[in-house]
Amino acid sequence: MSQAIEQEVRQTSEDLARSLSWLGPLEQDEIARRFADQHLALRLRMLRSTLDRAAELRAEYSHRYDMLRRRTVALALGTVALAVAATAWIAMRG
């Protein structure tokens, strides 16, 4: 995870802990550390989940693209074959 994100999370955690004025300084530090650790772990899980989903989508769309390309090539070849056969048929009749 980037340094900027870690710094942002740590600052947010410290701000939250400092807002709990009834806690002592050591308790506030502990709250800030625990919140930051949990928040960073959550963000990491979310990032991994997003990357996993991106890989799934890439594989799915790659497969779909391959199928579409095969169909397009088959249609083009069929059209050319039909045009050649029609031209030969017309030439033989004429």
Side-chain angles (χ1 to χ4, degrees):
M1 194 150 322
S2 79
Q3 296 258 343
I5 290 174
E6 287 188 30
Q7 182 59 35
E8 175 190 334
V9 168
R10 301 236 179 262
Q11 184 61 50
T12 302
S13 300
E14 289 174 14
D15 293 346
L16 170 69
R18 300 297 171 247
S19 72
L20 305 174
S21 58
W22 61 88
L23 297 176
L26 293 177
E27 294 169 316
Q28 289 177 348
D29 290 344
E30 178 68 12
I31 294 291
R33 186 188 60 75
R34 285 185 180 203
F35 180 82
D37 290 347
Q38 289 181 3
H39 189 76
L40 286 170
L42 173 64
R43 286 183 86 156
L44 189 56
R45 283 193 308 273
M46 291 170 61
L47 178 59
R48 285 184 180 146
S49 175
T50 301
L51 291 173
D52 290 346
R53 183 64 180 141
E56 289 172 8
L57 288 173
R58 187 177 306 114
E60 181 180 332
Y61 283 105
S62 177
H63 174 71
R64 288 185 183 189
Y65 175 76
D66 289 342
M67 293 299 293
L68 178 61
R69 185 178 54 213
R70 286 183 192 136
R71 288 179 185 161
T72 302
V73 169
L75 180 61
L77 290 175
T79 302
V80 168
L82 184 61
V84 168
T87 302
W89 184 73
I90 291 171
M92 288 176 67
R93 290 190 53 146

